[in-house]
Amino acid sequence: MRQIARRGFVAGAAGTVAMVVASAAGAGGATADPRGEVRVHRGPGPRDVPRRELRGMWVATVENLDWPSEPGLSAAAQQAELIAYLDEAVDRRLNAVILQVRPSADALWPSPYEPWAQCLTGVQGRDPGWDPLGTAVREAHSRGLELHAWFNPYRIANHTDRSRLAATHPARLHPDWALPYGGKLYYDPGLPEVRAFVQDAMLDAVRRYDIDAVHWDDYFYPYPVAGESFTDDATYAKHGAGFADKAAWRRSNTDKLVQEAGRRIKAVKPGVRFGISPFGVWRNASTDPLGSRTAAQVQTYDDLYADTRGWVEKGWIDYICPQLYWNIGFADADYAVLLPWWNEVVRGTGVDLFIGEALYKCGDPAQPAAWQDPAELSRHVDLAAGYDQARGHAYFSGNGVVADRIGAMSRLVADHYRSRVRPPG
């Protein structure tokens, strides 16, 4: 989920606010009232009824990005930090925390499938002395927050040295399951036994805990690395019969993972939602006329072998939260272009649309000028209020919510989150 190193768009200029306001006005369906609450108008009946919307915050644990602040803290200190994030969400009038509970094929609960996560103690497989996921669910619910358990399906490690993994790690017990690529280690998505295993590992948490949703991020097949190939030729030779090419076979593997996981989650607990937060561009219109008017360097369909649009149309997921991590007016991937594109993708499907927001870019001097303006994110929420399928936002990530660099989060909350609302059910 950390976007800083992998997003290729580092240049561009902000668009004009007037263009954005005109676009929102043309979309119809909702307005923002002076008190900052989103009002939705849908046919006869009372007007100005506050709508339910997601107000989410990602809390990343991989490499201790958000939490715990460092590995090896005491159980009491870790718990205190976690509760502080939940309290911050309440203070900001958010209603959901998306907690990363399987960051690198390891677990933030006592899993029979995978070792304890390294981010907790600094040693993968070492018992931290408490149950982080169980505590997170209980404490979130006591504060009126949803807890979405965020899993990464295929990433094993941000290195390729298997000896650094816990002795009981599945990637050591089944070395044929893992492939190195770009200095990292991944499970091979083409192996049916891998797809079954990663589902089993995640479903253990669904069975044990009263989580509100299973949440996946944007890592399926890994992001392309220049000059390197993902070496799954042997797997393709064994399992790729009947496909036109390797790309079609890889997309089918990802499709199977999504479809199977969605079906199995509902079989275990029908009320648990299944959501995915993909990279924001499915395909550019120059590649496919059904795509967005963007010039993105990465396209999920072609580069990650993830047909994100197809999953929505087939109803395999309950919500999609595309990472629209670009400013309004950005030339290669304009927020004001991608938002209406996704709005139409979900229409009539029953799949909720939430928007992933790049809070981490606010005030970062390496980012375009638009991100130096504290009002940029607030403008995103203004714009989304004009699109009838957009049902909320999630902010990356927790430490950005707390740090509130340049006051961007405070501005957004003051403009739009004057009181708490419930997330969509």
Side-chain angles (χ1 to χ4, degrees), residues 63-64 67-74 78 117-123:
E63 305 288 339
N64 298 93
W67 175 82
S69 59
E70 59 181 308
L73 297 176
S74 69
Q78 290 179 3
Q118 182 176 356
C119 64
L120 296 170
T121 64
V123 179

Side-chain angles (χ1 to χ4, degrees), residues 50-107:
R51 70 173 176 181
R52 294 171 64 164
E53 63 177 359
L54 183 83
R55 301 174 181 175
M57 173 178 77
W58 278 287
V59 175
T61 59
V62 64
E63 305 288 339
N64 298 93
L65 186 61
D66 288 322
W67 175 82
S69 59
E70 59 181 308
L73 297 176
S74 69
Q78 290 179 3
Q79 185 168 336
E81 286 188 353
L82 176 61
I83 288 174
Y85 272 115
L86 301 179
D87 287 341
E88 182 74 16
V90 173
D91 290 345
R92 298 291 186 179
R93 292 182 281 282
L94 307 181
N95 55 28
V97 171
I98 306 166
L99 176 65
Q100 191 174 33
V101 300
R102 185 178 182 267
S104 298
D106 50 15

